[in-house]
Amino acid sequence: MDDRSPADRYLTAAVALLERVRDEEAAAVAAAGSAIADTVAAGGRLFAFGAGHSSLPAQDTVYRAGGLAVMNLLTVPGMTGVDVRPATLGSALERVEGLAATVLDASPAAAGDLLFVISLSGRNTLPVELAGHARALGLTVIGVTSVAYAAETTPRNASGTFLKDHCDIVLDNKIAVGDAELTADGVAAPFAPASTVVTSALMQAVMATAATALADRGVEPPLLRSGNVDGGTEWNARVIEENAGRIFWH
């Protein structure tokens, strides 16, 4: 019997997942960081998309102190977070065929840009079609997903494929199918999801890699500072002005 507290058990599980990502995804993280550096150095723009809770790690990279100013959120109405009512509508929209192409074609994303597509299961129509259409348009696509879903579940889209099948680079967050780290006597369902914690950390590891890769090439990374430190607002105003053509959140 495990006598540890639920908090101890959860945090231990989260740390173990982070260590797996560190040890097993190092090459993919390096490749993703290099791809971002290539895009930024060439004047391209960065975009990130995630549906529902998978949007949280995407949002965490946009307009972020210590983050790249040229990272933009690719939004789909009703699917960014859980603010839509009913919340189940977001899940339903993720299964609508053709929506991904419509959204991408209406966005400023273009050939030479880079797109993160974040989807834990990677099995639904929207992330699969979004990644495929983005690559067809000439974008570099980095998928962030749990590869375990491709081995243990069935696709839920017309192509019969998963997100990982349509990406230039795949980052595996190692989350088990079901996204719940704990069980307990008297609790009917598994609980304590870790996908947001691990995926956000994975995204920030890639951003850190990209920033240093740019510096190694003699290119100043277009980083934002906290507006709550002296000089931060002025610094950010300069970075935003210098990169105005690549920023769509301002």
Side-chain angles (χ1 to χ4, degrees):
M1 179 177 178
D2 194 337
D3 294 327
R4 294 177 300 164
S5 71
D8 186 346
R9 292 169 58 209
Y10 175 77
L11 292 171
T12 298
V15 169
L17 284 164
L18 290 169
E19 289 177 338
R20 280 193 65 196
V21 167
R22 178 196 64 198
D23 296 341
E24 299 174 16
E25 293 301 298
V29 168
S34 180
I36 291 172
D38 290 343
T39 302
V40 173
R45 294 83 58 86
L46 308 175
F47 296 86
F49 167 81
H53 288 96
S54 289
S55 177
L56 298 177
Q59 293 181 56
D60 194 45
T61 64
V62 177
Y63 186 49
R64 175 75 193 215
L68 294 171
V70 295
M71 177 64 78
N72 303 278
L73 190 67
L74 182 67
T75 59
V76 178
M79 301 187 66
T80 304
V82 291
D83 55 342
V84 64
R85 298 291 184 274
T88 52
L89 177 59
S91 297
L93 289 172
E94 198 174 357
R95 302 170 193 175
V96 174
E97 294 184 12
L99 179 58
T102 299
V103 168
L104 194 57
D105 289 344
S107 80
D113 293 341
L114 183 146
L115 172 65
F116 280 92
V117 181
I118 305 172
S119 173
L120 179 61
S121 73
R123 68 195 294 238
N124 289 309
T125 300
L126 183 65
V128 168
E129 290 189 352
L130 186 63
H133 191 56
R135 289 183 79 189
L137 292 177
L139 282 78
T140 298
V141 177
I142 301 176
V144 189
T145 187
S146 169
V147 173
Y149 275 83
E152 300 177 33
T153 70
T154 56
R156 195 156 52 192
N157 63 84
S159 72
T161 60
F162 286 85
L163 170 61
K164 71 177 187 63
D165 301 319
H166 302 274
C167 301
D168 297 289
I169 300 168
V170 176
L171 298 169
D172 183 4
N173 58 22
K174 313 299 180 181
I175 299 296
V177 173
D179 191 17
E181 293 300 315
L182 302 183
T183 59
D185 293 340
V187 180
F191 56 99
S195 59
T196 303
V197 172
V198 178
T199 305
S200 291
L202 184 51
M203 291 291 289
Q204 293 301 341
V206 172
M207 296 300 109
T209 303
T212 53
L214 284 165
D216 289 344
R217 302 180 189 191
V219 178
E220 180 184 351
L223 294 168
L224 297 169
R225 291 179 180 264
S226 171
N228 294 312
V229 300
D230 292 343
T233 299
E234 293 76 16
W235 172 282
N236 290 343
R238 174 184 65 82
V239 172
I240 291 169
E241 181 180 2
E242 291 175 353
N243 296 278
R246 298 194 282 176
I247 294 173
F248 304 100
W249 46 258
H250 186 256

